[in-house]
Amino acid sequence: RLVIGIAGNLSGAKGARVAEALSHRLGRDLVVLGRTDPACRLHRAARIHGGYALADLPDLTRHYGITTWLVPSICPETFSYTTQECLMTGLPVITFDLGAQGEAVRSAAKGIALPIPAQGPASDAAVDAILRAARDAPPPPG
């Protein structure tokens, strides 16, 4: 079963609209470990954990059954702590091919950097690409 996790707080620049579009396809199979912008309208079945401590990330990953991470940022970053945290779990990590987050996943064994479709990062084409990448990613260990 595919369960996509998003770690970190979601704002416009951090991919709130991407998460919103994805949530309407995944429902309960989308988990946000962080807070969301009040304007972000995730599907009511999507699970929002709220803030977390880095030390709790492995337990939360198991608790929610997360199989793949998405870092939905739509702006290039100079460094992405969230991307590094997700990569440390050993699970596949998907980002858009932008800035430090794209660079980090391109050099990781289970990293997937996606181009942003011409239709935009929250488009059906983008959601399709994210879901295809998540389904084609190596299965989690164990």
Side-chain angles (χ1 to χ4, degrees), residues 18 32 43 62 65 75 99-100 104 107 111 119 122 141:
V18 176
V32 178
H43 187 278
R62 281 188 296 279
C75 295
S107 64
Q119 300 91 328

Side-chain angles (χ1 to χ4, degrees), residues 36-97:
T36 62
D37 183 306
C40 181
R41 303 287 181 226
L42 296 178
H43 187 278
R44 70 180 188 282
R47 296 177 284 171
I48 302 172
H49 176 81
Y52 68 96
L54 179 57
D56 296 332
L57 194 56
D59 289 337
L60 291 171
T61 301
R62 281 188 296 279
H63 172 76
Y64 288 107
I66 295 169
T67 59
T68 306
W69 293 104
L70 172 66
V71 179
S73 295
I74 60 169
C75 295
E77 300 180 30
T78 57
F79 185 82
S80 173
Y81 287 102
T82 302
T83 302
Q84 297 301 323
E85 291 171 3
C86 292
L87 286 168
M88 288 187 318
T89 68
L91 295 175
V93 179
I94 301 168
T95 69
F96 290 115
D97 197 4

